[in-house]
Amino acid sequence: MILLCMALVFSGCYKKESKQEGTPSEKPSAQEQSHTQKPVNEPTAENPPAAQTKVDVDLYLEVSNGMKGFMPPPAAEKEPTVFQKRLNKLISEVQDGIYVEDKRFYLAGQNAQGQPVLDSVAYGTLKNTITSGIKANVLGTPLPDMLQAALVNSLKRGAVTVVVSDFIHGPDPNNPGQFLSLDSDIRSSLKQAEHENLVVAVLANASPFFGSFYPAVKKPAVKRTLNGEEVPFYIWVIGKQQEVQTVTNKVLRDLPAQQAYFGFDYQRVPYSAILKSNTFRPAGVVYCTSRTAEVCTNVNLMPEKDEPVEFTIGLNLSDFPASLQDEAYLKQHLRLAVTGGKASIGTVIAASEDVKATPDLNQYTHFVRVRVPQLTANTGSITLALPQVVPTWISQWSTANDNNPAGAPRKTYQLNSIMEGVQALYRDKSENVFSVTMKFNKETK
């Protein structure tokens, strides 16, 4: 089902790791080398987009019957669920934090006609719902309809959309074919994100669940009674890239391990060959072609048969989502393409505290060692790229049958199809999160 509150990759559709119209009803309710090797202060377009200082946020919490188990009634002897802890922190930061300018809160459900309803509520009402539970009998709206309603509503005032929900698809009982078209339906529901050049961040977590669980697959049981088994819930953030980064980095913070980013575009990443540092001392004959450039993006190389050239490229990935800055992730996914020679990636490391305190190095967050054993042309290039990759957790958390969550916890029905629908929004964008190119000249004796 759906908790909505969106405000959080990249340029383009993800690649596999192997290589309804209508206006929702809305009503008030109670309820980002040279000798100095410092990056040049290029115009904003030359650097990764910096996060906005303040943003407007619309936060949507799905309050269908299927969400009740995340928010059991309180008792002195009971610990709040992971969901309740997470949501209380989130809404408090939205309400009182310094990074949100204007905010609106909604309880999301559907009316008697099966249309999505976005019930505008005060902060206190939302907080009470999270801490004390959902009292009303509220049917869940089909997932695509709910997403579209929330996005269209937030676009009216240019706010970041934040949606909180279990994202279990409950199609119209009279239209079971929606199960077969979930990916395209999701893509259609978010078409305005593509048209308005918005990005999508998806954050997944799991929480103990108490009470009636309503699976998408109704056989053999229409519902299950759970007593603390873990059920996934999701926070989707939709908006302009800089604003989504503010929400994920400054408002949400402490992000779960399960993260996915769609549509993020880092066209230019500050980078430089690091050639004058004792910390990253080069090997063999290599020097910056320009003696005066503040950053070194063109080098002269002379690898020899028994003495390959090795040098380090510094990257500033500070504006990237945390999961894409992860050292292990970069080691696994960074790719090198070479024209006019042979080269390979050696080490990939994040800046240590000592490096961060070194003036000539502290503009860079990551350092990639490149080994060049041979050149086959007098000039060429070395391109370092991070391709768009579907996070492995998505397939791990997806299932074709969610009828028994106790036997298969942390699974969401057709999660892979849902994400394929989001991915389709960005099919015409770059296949890489970023790429940087180091040009070279072959040095001769």
Side-chain angles (χ1 to χ4, degrees):
M1 304 299 173
I2 302 182
L3 231 194
L4 303 170
C5 177
M6 291 201 155
L8 223 247
V9 215
F10 302 128
S11 59
C13 308
Y14 281 107
K15 293 178 68 180
K16 296 287 185 182
E17 231 173 23
S18 62
K19 217 300 27 169
Q20 319 198 10
E21 305 297 332
T23 302
S25 61
E26 176 185 334
K27 57 176 180 139
S29 163
Q31 306 265 77
E32 180 212 190
Q33 170 167 38
S34 65
H35 300 296
T36 59
Q37 297 182 341
K38 295 181 181 179
V40 180
N41 290 325
E42 297 287 341
T44 302
E46 296 297 313
N47 293 323
Q52 295 274 10
T53 302
K54 286 190 175 184
V55 297
D56 295 341
V57 170
D58 285 352
L59 192 151
Y60 304 85
L61 173 63
E62 187 192 4
V63 290
S64 67
N65 293 333
M67 293 291 293
K68 290 181 177 181
F70 290 117
M71 298 167 273
E77 70 278 7
K78 284 184 181 180
E79 284 285 327
T81 65
V82 171
F83 181 93
Q84 289 172 310
K85 291 177 182 178
R86 183 62 168 153
L87 264 292
N88 268 321
K89 289 180 180 179
L90 171 57
I91 66 169
S92 176
E93 194 66 41
V94 171
Q95 175 69 12
D96 300 318
I98 63 174
Y99 296 102
V100 177
E101 186 72 54
D102 192 18
K103 74 280 297 185
R104 293 187 299 190
F105 302 106
Y106 296 90
L107 301 179
Q110 75 171 21
N111 59 22
Q113 290 72 46
Q115 298 300 311
V117 174
L118 307 177
D119 197 5
S120 178
V121 299
Y123 169 74
T125 300
L126 180 63
K127 182 177 180 180
N128 185 65
T129 300
I130 294 168
T131 57
S132 300
I134 301 168
K135 304 297 192 297
N137 178 28
V138 182
L139 297 179
T141 303
L143 178 55
D145 295 354
M146 187 66 72
L147 282 172
Q148 179 174 317
L151 179 58
V152 169
N153 184 59
S154 295
L155 280 172
K156 293 177 183 177
R157 70 184 193 101
V160 175
T161 305
V162 180
V163 181
V164 184
S165 169
D166 60 3
F167 281 83
I168 297 176
H169 185 42
D172 183 338
N174 298 316
N175 187 10
Q178 289 181 347
F179 278 121
L180 305 180
S181 61
L182 182 54
D183 54 348
S184 59
D185 290 344
I186 291 293
R187 188 249 180 277
S188 295
S189 72
L190 296 176
K191 63 185 178 184
Q192 289 302 114
E194 180 181 16
H195 296 170
E196 301 290 337
N197 197 29
L198 307 182
V199 303
V200 180
V202 177
L203 310 173
N205 212 329
S207 174
F209 190 99
F210 298 89
S212 295
F213 173 83
Y214 298 89
V217 177
K218 304 300 183 184
K219 297 179 181 180
V222 173
K223 69 177 180 178
R224 299 277 189 174
T225 299
L226 303 184
N227 188 30
E229 289 85 356
E230 287 193 324
V231 172
F233 69 93
Y234 302 86
I235 299 175
W236 285 36
V237 187
I238 307 175
K240 296 178 181 179
Q241 179 170 320
Q242 299 93 325
E243 296 179 350
V244 169
Q245 289 179 172
T246 295
V247 172
T248 55
N249 297 340
K250 302 297 185 180
V251 179
L252 282 161
R253 306 178 187 246
D254 302 324
L255 303 181
Q258 297 75 225
Q259 306 171 31
Y261 303 94
F262 303 89
F264 283 70
D265 186 0
Y266 297 90
Q267 294 183 358
R268 298 296 294 271
V269 168
Y271 71 105
S272 178
I274 307 297
L275 303 175
K276 301 293 184 181
S277 169
N278 289 330
T279 305
F280 301 105
R281 188 185 299 276
V285 178
V286 52
Y287 61 90
C288 192
T289 302
S290 172
R291 302 292 184 174
T292 59
E294 293 191 8
V295 295
C296 182
T297 59
N298 196 318
V299 294
N300 283 27
L301 307 173
M302 192 173 69
E304 306 212 60
K305 182 176 180 181
D306 298 321
E307 187 180 10
V309 168
E310 292 188 15
F311 67 99
T312 298
I313 300 174
L315 303 169
N316 183 351
L317 308 182
S318 59
D319 284 324
F320 281 34
S323 64
L324 296 180
Q325 294 189 45
D326 181 71
E327 191 175 296
Y329 182 89
L330 293 171
K331 286 179 180 177
Q332 181 179 0
H333 295 295
L334 277 174
R335 298 291 180 262
L336 201 65
V338 186
T339 62
K342 296 181 179 180
S344 61
I345 295 175
T347 58
V348 179
I349 64 173
S352 65
E353 293 303 316
D354 288 342
V355 168
K356 292 177 183 178
T358 304
D360 288 344
L361 300 176
N362 61 9
Q363 291 85 1
Y364 304 104
T365 60
H366 296 77
F367 300 87
V368 181
R369 190 76 167 177
V370 175
R371 186 176 187 272
V372 185
Q374 180 183 1
L375 299 182
T376 59
N378 290 330
T379 61
S381 63
I382 300 171
T383 298
L384 190 64
L386 182 66
Q388 301 280 6
V389 177
V390 176
T392 56
W393 69 265
I394 291 177
S395 60
Q396 294 167 353
W397 284 45
S398 184
T399 183
N401 189 342
D402 64 344
N403 194 261
N404 184 15
R410 291 184 174 233
K411 300 287 185 181
T412 296
Y413 178 74
Q414 287 197 30
L415 180 63
N416 52 353
S417 294
I418 294 172
M419 295 305 172
E420 285 170 6
V422 181
Q423 174 185 342
L425 296 169
Y426 307 103
R427 62 194 181 280
D428 293 328
K429 287 197 173 184
S430 171
E431 295 183 346
N432 295 317
V433 176
F434 79 91
S435 66
V436 297
T437 296
M438 188 73 59
K439 295 181 180 179
F440 67 77
N441 303 306
K442 183 177 182 179
E443 181 70 11
T444 58
K445 295 182 180 179

